[in-house]
Amino acid sequence: MENRTARLTLLIDPRKKKLFEEICSEHDLTSSQVVRRLIRQYIIDNAGSRELPDWLKPGSKAE
């Protein structure tokens, strides 16, 4: 299972942030949940020949 101890800080246009948070809220999700899902999918899509841990393989229940 993933350890959620690392912090990722990013800069984003305030208008995009506001719209992003509104859309996340409409889906009953936090912006952090959505960003974690996006990062997870990006890793899966772009890992190439890297061996992924079981918790990161497509179809696993880890977020």
Side-chain angles (χ1 to χ4, degrees):
M1 184 53 124
E2 295 177 70
N3 291 324
R4 298 214 174 106
T5 59
R7 180 179 306 260
L8 175 66
T9 303
L10 61 108
L11 299 175
I12 185 171
D13 178 275
R15 297 170 298 168
K16 288 178 190 161
K17 180 180 182 283
K18 182 178 184 299
L19 183 56
F20 178 67
E21 289 175 336
E22 288 173 6
I23 294 169
C24 290
S25 180
E26 289 171 6
H27 291 273
D28 197 27
L29 297 167
T30 66
S31 55
S32 291
Q33 288 173 308
V34 174
V35 169
R36 283 193 299 270
R37 287 180 185 179
L38 291 168
I39 291 171
R40 175 187 168 91
Q41 193 59 54
Y42 184 85
I43 291 170
I44 290 168
D45 293 345
N46 295 282
S49 62
R50 292 176 185 85
E51 180 67 28
L52 296 176
D54 289 339
W55 53 265
L56 194 54
K57 290 182 180 170
S60 73
K61 293 188 177 190
E63 185 178 311

